[in-house]
C-alpha cells in the first residue's frame, strides 16, 4: 500500500471520521467504527484495520484481543472526503457478539446474520 | 415493511445515527449519511430512503431533486443499535458527482468507481 495519501481526509471538528468495513471478497458490510488521523496512518502503514474508540478514548487495532483481525486490501474515501471505506479480509467475525457482521439483525429484530464464533470463548 | 421497530435505535446526544446505504443486488456500498428518528420513520413508512442533512439542518428524501431515489428493501441495525444499514435499490447514481457510489476513489486518489450520469444535466 502506498502511504502517500493523495486525498486530504476531512476529520472535521471531532477529529474522527466514520469508517465502514466491508468484506473485500463477498461485499458484506461488517461494521462501522471511527478513525482518527493516527488510526488511518497505522492502518495504511500496517495493512491492518485500526480505529479510534470514542468510549475508551484510544486507538485500537481490530482483533488485537480477539484475533479477529482485518487485513485491509484497500481504503476508499467518499466524495466529501469525510467517510472511509475499508475493504478487508476479515479473520473470524467482526462482531463482539460472535456474528460475522455487526449488522446481523433487521430493525424488526429478526436475526439474519451468521454467527461464526462463541464470544464466551474469545473474550474473557 | 412492518413499521413496528423491535430494535430501539440509540440516537445518542446528537439525535442522529450514521446510515450506510448498500446496493441490495450487488452489495456495493453507495454512501453514508445521517438519520434522525423522523428520517427513519419516513423511510420505513414510505420505503424510500430519507436522511437528515447536518449542513442544511433538514430532513431530505434521497433523489427528491435528482430523481435518483433509493427504494429500501431492508433496514438493518448494528450490535450497538447506533448505526443503520439500508439495503437499497438505487435509481441512477448515489453520488452528486455522477458516480454510482460516493466511494469512487481510493485514498491514493485513483478513481475506481463507475460514473453513471452527468451531474450538470441533473442538478441546476
Amino acid at each position: 500500500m502506498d502511504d502517500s495519501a493523495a486525498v486530504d481526509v476531512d476529520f472535521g471538528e471531532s477529529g474522527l471520521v466514520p469508517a465502514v468495513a466491508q468484506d473485500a471478497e463477498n461485499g458484506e458490510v461488517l461494521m462501522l467504527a471511527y478513525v482518527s488521523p493516527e488510526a488511518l496512518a497505522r492502518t495504511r502503514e500496517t495493512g491492518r484495520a485500526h480505529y479510534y474508540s470514542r468510549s475508551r478514548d484510544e486507538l485500537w487495532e481490530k482483533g488485537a484481543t480477539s484475533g479477529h483481525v482485518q487485513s485491509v486490501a484497500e481504503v476508499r474515501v467518499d466524495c466529501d472526503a469525510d467517510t472511509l471505506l475499508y475493504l478487508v479480509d476479515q479473520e473470524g467475525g467482526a462482531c463482539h457478539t460472535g456474528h460475522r457482521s455487526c449488522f446481523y439483525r433487521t430493525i424488526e429484530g429478526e436475526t439474519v446474520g451468521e454467527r461464526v464464533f462463541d464470544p464466551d470463548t474469545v473474550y474473557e
Side-chain angles (χ1 to χ4, degrees), chain A residues 26 28 92-95 97-105 111-117:
Chain A
N26 68 15
E28 186 174 14
C95 189
T97 62
H99 292 87
R100 176 81 180 160
S101 163
C102 293
F103 299 94
Y104 60 87
R105 56 191 173 152
T111 296
V112 290
E114 189 190 0
R115 197 143 186 255
V116 291
F117 70 88

Side-chain angles (χ1 to χ4, degrees), chain A residues 56-103:
Chain A
R56 296 193 307 275
D57 207 13
E58 66 180 20
L59 183 75
W60 59 289
E61 180 187 342
K62 175 70 184 167
T65 304
S66 65
H68 296 164
V69 296
Q70 294 175 338
S71 300
V72 178
E74 195 169 289
V75 178
R76 294 196 189 160
V77 185
D78 79 343
C79 48
D80 298 326
D82 61 3
T83 305
L84 302 176
L85 178 64
Y86 284 178
L87 298 177
V88 306
D89 174 15
Q90 171 73 57
E91 191 70 34
C95 189
H96 73 286
T97 62
H99 292 87
R100 176 81 180 160
S101 163
C102 293
F103 299 94

Side-chain angles (χ1 to χ4, degrees), chain A residues 16-22 30-36 38-40 42-43 48-54 56 58-63 70 72 84-88 90 94:
Chain A
L16 300 173
V17 290
V20 178
Q22 181 181 31
L30 298 168
M31 58 182 277
L32 179 141
Y34 293 84
V35 167
S36 62
E38 190 187 354
L40 176 58
R42 291 284 297 153
T43 297
R48 293 207 173 182
H50 288 67
Y51 300 97
Y52 192 87
S53 169
R54 298 180 300 172
R56 296 193 307 275
E58 66 180 20
L59 183 75
W60 59 289
E61 180 187 342
K62 175 70 184 167
Q70 294 175 338
V72 178
L84 302 176
L85 178 64
Y86 284 178
L87 298 177
V88 306
Q90 171 73 57

